[in-house]
Amino acid sequence: MQQINRVAIVGGIHGNELTGVYLVKKFEQFPQLIQRSSFETFTLLGNPQAFKLGRRYIDKDLNRCFYSQDLHDPTLSSYEEHRAKTIYQQLKPPGKSPVDLIIDLHSTTANMGLTLILGNTHPFNLQLAAYLSSINPLVRVYNGTQYGQKSAVLRSLCELSFSIEIGPVYQGVLDASFFNKTEELIHVILDYLEAYNQGKVLHRSSAFTLYQYVGTIDYPRNKNGEIQAMIHPQLQGKDYEELNPGEPIFLTFENQVITYEGESTVYPIFINEAAYYEKGIAMCLTEKHQLTIAKREE
Amino acid sequence: MQQINRVAIVGGIHGNELTGVYLVKKFEQFPQLIQRSSFETFTLLGNPQAFKLGRRYIDKDLNRCFYSQDLHDPTLSSYEEHRAKTIYQQLKPPGKSPVDLIIDLHSTTANMGLTLILGNTHPFNLQLAAYLSSINPLVRVYNGTQYGQKSAVLRSLCELSFSIEIGPVYQGVLDASFFNKTEELIHVILDYLEAYNQGKVLHRSSAFTLYQYVGTIDYPRNKNGEIQAMIHPQLQGKDYEELNPGEPIFLTFENQVITYEGESTVYPIFINEAAYYEKGIAMCLTEKHQLTIAKREE
């Protein structure tokens, strides 16, 4: 069994997602809150310049700057590309022990509750997801990574890693209710890691629901790339609910309904996420899987 | 009685308030929607560059650039200062008829429903407010201007003017439900103006509620200006509801409750508006007045 020695809590990879920013600030002011006896926890503010300006990023999305080849490319020097290299050095300092686990704090304008986005399907990540799902019914587990796929997000730097994606939260707004829920979840996670290091097993259930990414849908656009329809009011806020072929997904400015033309039921998430307009994503589609995790060796 | 000949519908004075932007785009695509027989209606996209970048503004808040002295100051040349001068020229072209009425479309992350922000308390504006309140119970009427005060907002360019401020809407998100409600309200207003020009009186009620600005409250901050508390969960989303002395308004990061210490009941609005963090405003306080409008001469 691998011991966990260093844990990083990262907030504000996107400067206008204030929950993570202020949780990091709180933990920096009261470090005892995140101390546990068997491992070191440290915090990191992802994009301080973007936070200062109230923006997601300065030059480009920082959470798309962590491709291994980009981190070692000296020609990349935008603010975020530079910042990604600095964060990489802090998480994996040359000649010192790298961080063992990353908790990356995000928020979304979509109605995604308390979503755990897995860095990958490492058994440890799945165990933790099963545990968190079992003690908090608000927790949803999402896997956006395809097996073997290269990834540019922060959480791809570590095998043991995940993002906490909470919503709906407005960009540039601090929401006390989600702030408190996220902080509680972090404490539960740190306590779980402590128990794990001490050889205790915090099992409550080995079964949980995993939402697996299968694709995205963009807004209907004209030839200039301009949006021609909105998320249909019946779909707005219905993240993680089933969407069947033939059901409304968009409403055009001429009040025409556009329906979902897929072949099977899916579970859309990130519906109408503000930051994804520029990425050509109106929603991500997932499939719902019931997983049962084999008990860990003790 | 003054005839209304030219009406301007302005959207996207703030580039990340998409409802106004896309309503203007829709009206440009289908101009017959806003045509009426007795006046000309034209549309204007306030801040196209900020919209393109998904931001409220490029250099400074465009809706603080309309001071008369600034519009005539050739030394002011930031993107928004330049844009304000251009808009001013379009609304009040030299040697031509100026616009008679401005409808300025905005959205807020606060729970403000369909708010009509009066440009001033001109009897015409109050009549219209009374009419809209009477036919749509979701409409709230807010006056943020003190008598005789100079103003830097777009609606100060015209005596007959108001903003439509809808919320809660996420910055950078197009919400179909609010889009449709705002469009309906615009049609009601245009029909009202048409009837007015034709000497018909669309009275339903002469009594309505006016929320009058009395002040603002900032977030508690440390000496570096950093926020030390969040809007209390009990106050979040409670725009236009009564707030009494002694009731919670903030929750610090140490979970201390901060209460409202005013001397009388107020009705806060713009609670936790994303764009007001940088302005030092956690909420605006209003007093609630019941007004009865004298019937217009017919």
Side-chain angles (χ1 to χ4, degrees):
Chain A
M1 180 184 115
Q2 178 194 352
Q3 186 80 3
I4 291 166
N5 297 309
R6 299 187 79 214
V7 172
I9 300 176
V10 184
I13 283 286
H14 297 131
N16 58 4
E17 296 177 4
L18 300 191
T19 311
V21 171
Y22 283 98
L23 275 169
V24 162
K25 285 179 181 283
K26 175 172 181 171
F27 295 147
E28 285 174 356
Q29 202 180 344
F30 308 103
Q32 69 281 9
L33 289 172
I34 52 172
Q35 279 167 15
R36 297 295 184 275
S37 66
S38 68
F39 59 90
E40 178 200 356
T41 311
F42 71 101
T43 57
L44 206 153
L45 185 55
N47 198 327
Q49 195 59 29
F51 163 64
K52 206 172 151 189
L53 296 180
R55 284 157 51 181
R56 183 175 174 91
Y57 56 78
I58 303 296
D59 297 316
K60 58 185 292 193
D61 190 334
L62 176 56
N63 214 25
R64 302 295 180 273
C65 292
F66 291 96
Y67 277 123
S68 177
Q69 70 214 51
D70 292 351
L71 293 169
H72 298 95
D73 182 343
T75 67
L76 299 178
S77 61
S78 71
Y79 176 72
E80 275 80 12
E81 285 159 346
H82 181 76
R83 194 71 202 120
K85 290 173 188 171
T86 305
I87 292 170
Y88 177 70
Q89 294 289 321
Q90 288 175 285
L91 298 180
K92 302 197 160 182
K96 291 186 187 169
S97 306
V99 73
D100 299 303
L101 187 143
I102 298 171
I103 305 173
D104 184 20
L105 306 177
H106 288 264
S107 64
T108 169
T109 64
N111 184 22
M112 285 173 61
L114 286 173
T115 292
L116 204 69
I117 305 183
L118 302 179
N120 56 65
T121 51
H122 188 288
F124 182 92
N125 293 337
L126 295 178
Q127 293 274 7
L128 176 59
Y131 176 70
L132 295 178
S133 296
S134 69
I135 65 161
N136 187 340
L138 296 176
V139 168
R140 307 275 189 175
V141 184
Y142 167 56
N143 182 38
T145 314
Q146 310 273 32
Y147 184 77
Q149 185 188 25
K150 282 186 184 173
S151 173
V153 300
L154 173 71
R155 60 183 177 271
S156 67
L157 295 185
C158 245
E159 272 209 313
L160 312 187
S161 68
F162 48 89
S163 299
I164 298 176
E165 182 80 71
I166 58 163
V169 174
Y170 303 86
Q171 293 184 342
V173 165
L174 190 53
D175 182 299
S177 161
F178 273 110
F179 183 92
N180 291 339
K181 282 181 203 159
T182 308
E183 186 179 1
E184 280 166 29
L185 193 62
I186 290 172
H187 291 308
V188 170
I189 292 166
L190 296 178
D191 291 344
Y192 178 92
L193 301 179
E194 177 88 333
Y196 170 88
N197 274 347
Q198 291 166 351
K200 295 176 201 157
V201 179
L202 295 180
H203 257 312
R204 302 244 309 207
S205 166
S206 54
F208 73 103
T209 304
L210 177 77
Y211 293 87
Q212 174 65 48
Y213 170 89
V214 291
T216 62
I217 297 182
D218 190 13
Y219 299 89
R221 297 179 190 260
N222 66 14
K223 61 183 191 317
N224 300 322
E226 287 191 330
I227 285 172
Q228 299 299 297
M230 310 174 271
I231 295 290
H232 194 283
Q234 282 181 35
L235 184 63
Q236 179 67 38
K238 300 292 169 57
D239 301 73
Y240 291 115
E241 296 188 22
E242 70 174 49
L243 173 68
N244 298 303
E247 290 180 346
I249 50 174
F250 295 113
L251 184 66
T252 73
F253 296 128
E254 296 161 76
N255 287 320
Q256 300 297 311
V257 174
I258 297 175
T259 57
Y260 176 58
E261 297 300 326
E263 294 191 348
S264 58
T265 299
V266 287
Y267 298 79
I269 63 172
F270 284 115
I271 299 170
N272 216 353
E273 159 58 34
Y276 287 0
Y277 278 65
E278 67 177 23
K279 296 187 198 296
I281 298 175
M283 69 195 80
C284 294
L285 303 182
T286 73
E287 281 175 357
K288 188 175 179 177
H289 298 294
Q290 297 300 329
L291 260 68
T292 305
I293 307 299
K295 280 206 174 185
R296 204 171 68 206
E297 288 168 36
E298 294 175 29
Chain B
M1 181 183 116
Q2 180 195 349
Q3 186 80 4
I4 291 167
N5 297 309
R6 297 187 80 215
V7 172
I9 300 176
V10 185
I13 283 286
H14 297 131
N16 58 5
E17 296 176 5
L18 300 192
T19 311
V21 171
Y22 283 99
L23 275 170
V24 162
K25 285 178 181 286
K26 176 173 180 171
F27 295 147
E28 285 173 355
Q29 203 181 343
F30 308 104
Q32 68 282 9
L33 290 172
I34 53 172
Q35 280 167 13
R36 297 296 183 276
S37 67
S38 68
F39 59 91
E40 177 201 356
T41 310
F42 71 100
T43 56
L44 205 153
L45 185 55
N47 198 327
Q49 196 58 30
F51 164 64
K52 204 171 153 189
L53 296 180
R55 285 155 55 180
R56 182 175 176 88
Y57 56 78
I58 303 297
D59 296 317
K60 58 185 292 195
D61 190 335
L62 176 56
N63 214 22
R64 301 295 180 274
C65 291
F66 291 96
Y67 277 123
S68 176
Q69 71 212 53
D70 292 351
L71 292 170
H72 299 94
D73 183 343
T75 67
L76 298 179
S77 60
S78 71
Y79 177 72
E80 275 80 11
E81 285 159 344
H82 181 74
R83 192 76 199 117
K85 291 173 188 172
T86 304
I87 291 170
Y88 177 70
Q89 295 288 322
Q90 289 176 283
L91 297 181
K92 301 195 161 185
K96 292 188 188 168
S97 306
V99 73
D100 299 302
L101 187 143
I102 299 171
I103 305 173
D104 184 21
L105 307 177
H106 287 265
S107 64
T108 169
T109 64
N111 184 22
M112 284 172 63
L114 285 174
T115 292
L116 203 68
I117 305 183
L118 303 179
N120 56 65
T121 52
H122 188 289
F124 181 92
N125 293 336
L126 295 179
Q127 294 272 8
L128 177 58
Y131 176 71
L132 296 177
S133 295
S134 69
I135 64 160
N136 187 341
L138 295 175
V139 168
R140 307 275 190 175
V141 184
Y142 167 56
N143 182 38
T145 314
Q146 310 275 32
Y147 184 75
Q149 187 190 21
K150 281 187 183 172
S151 172
V153 300
L154 174 70
R155 61 183 177 273
S156 67
L157 295 185
C158 246
E159 270 208 314
L160 312 187
S161 67
F162 48 88
S163 300
I164 298 176
E165 182 79 74
I166 57 163
V169 174
Y170 304 85
Q171 294 183 342
V173 166
L174 190 53
D175 181 299
S177 161
F178 274 108
F179 183 92
N180 291 339
K181 282 182 201 159
T182 307
E183 187 180 359
E184 280 166 30
L185 194 61
I186 290 171
H187 291 309
V188 171
I189 292 167
L190 296 177
D191 291 343
Y192 177 92
L193 301 179
E194 176 88 334
Y196 170 88
N197 274 347
Q198 293 167 348
K200 295 178 203 157
V201 180
L202 296 180
H203 258 310
R204 303 247 305 209
S205 165
S206 54
F208 73 104
T209 304
L210 178 76
Y211 294 86
Q212 173 64 47
Y213 170 88
V214 291
T216 62
I217 296 181
D218 190 14
Y219 298 88
R221 297 178 189 260
N222 67 12
K223 61 182 190 317
N224 300 323
E226 287 191 329
I227 285 172
Q228 299 298 297
M230 309 173 272
I231 295 290
H232 194 283
Q234 282 180 36
L235 184 63
Q236 180 68 37
K238 300 293 170 57
D239 301 73
Y240 291 113
E241 297 189 21
E242 69 173 50
L243 174 68
N244 298 301
E247 290 180 345
I249 51 175
F250 295 113
L251 184 66
T252 73
F253 296 127
E254 296 160 76
N255 286 321
Q256 301 296 308
V257 175
I258 296 175
T259 57
Y260 175 57
E261 296 301 326
E263 292 190 348
S264 57
T265 299
V266 287
Y267 297 78
I269 64 174
F270 283 115
I271 299 171
N272 216 354
E273 158 58 34
Y276 287 0
Y277 279 64
E278 67 177 22
K279 297 188 197 296
I281 297 174
M283 68 196 81
C284 294
L285 303 182
T286 73
E287 282 174 358
K288 187 175 179 177
H289 298 295
Q290 296 302 329
L291 260 67
T292 305
I293 306 300
K295 278 208 175 185
R296 204 172 68 204
E297 289 167 35
E298 293 173 29

